[in-house]
């Protein structure tokens, strides 16, 4: 049996555009990683709900816990139900 190594090529934070009907003023957030060398196209990790007002700050914190930083601006998806922003590995801390 051959081993296929997954290699994440692109990483994005996705957030829903409309607030949750169950949790007022909160949107769902996900980390999506596109994969090369696998039958699986992408890995989706739910990050939970963030408040609409403080969502950007909460995403920065969630990203730093994974050593990721936002890179660029938010863009709407084709369906207009979500927005996404590219994330990249944080540069090594300088001493």
């Amino acid at each position: 049996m051959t081993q296929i190594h997954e290699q994440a090529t692109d990483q994005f934070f996705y957030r829903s555009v409309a607030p949750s009907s169950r949790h007022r003023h909160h949107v769902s957030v996900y980390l999506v990683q596109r994969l090369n060398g696998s039958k699986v196209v992408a890995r989706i990790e739910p990050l939970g709900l963030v408040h609409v007002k403080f969502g950007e700050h909460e995403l920065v914190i969630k990203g730093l816990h994974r050593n990721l930083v936002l890179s660029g601006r938010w863009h709407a998806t084709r369906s207009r139900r979500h927005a996404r922003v590219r994330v990249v590995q944080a540069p090594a801390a300088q001493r």
Side-chain angles (χ1 to χ4, degrees):
M1 186 161 140
T2 59
Q3 190 77 291
I4 297 175
H5 299 286
E6 298 174 345
Q7 181 70 20
T9 57
D10 295 320
Q11 299 181 90
F12 297 93
F13 278 150
Y14 276 73
R15 68 173 181 208
S16 55
V17 172
S20 169
S21 59
R22 287 183 89 183
H23 306 282
R24 293 180 48 191
H25 309 294
H26 287 80
V27 292
S28 298
V29 179
Y30 308 91
L31 173 63
V32 177
Q33 299 172 315
R34 291 188 184 156
L35 302 175
N36 275 348
S38 174
K39 292 181 181 180
V40 177
V41 176
R43 179 181 310 134
I44 302 171
E45 180 183 344
L47 300 177
L49 295 169
V50 296
H51 195 280
V52 174
K53 198 178 226 183
F54 307 112
E56 189 80 22
H57 300 292
E58 290 182 44
L59 278 177
V60 169
I61 292 169
K62 288 179 185 286
L64 289 175
H65 285 289
R66 290 169 173 75
N67 200 28
L68 299 171
V69 292
L70 304 181
S71 174
R73 298 174 46 184
W74 287 96
H75 297 281
T77 60
R78 285 185 193 174
S79 69
R80 303 276 187 224
R81 293 180 187 209
H82 293 88
R84 75 178 189 179
V85 64
R86 182 180 299 276
V87 292
V88 295
Q89 293 295 320
Q94 297 179 0
R95 294 181 182 192

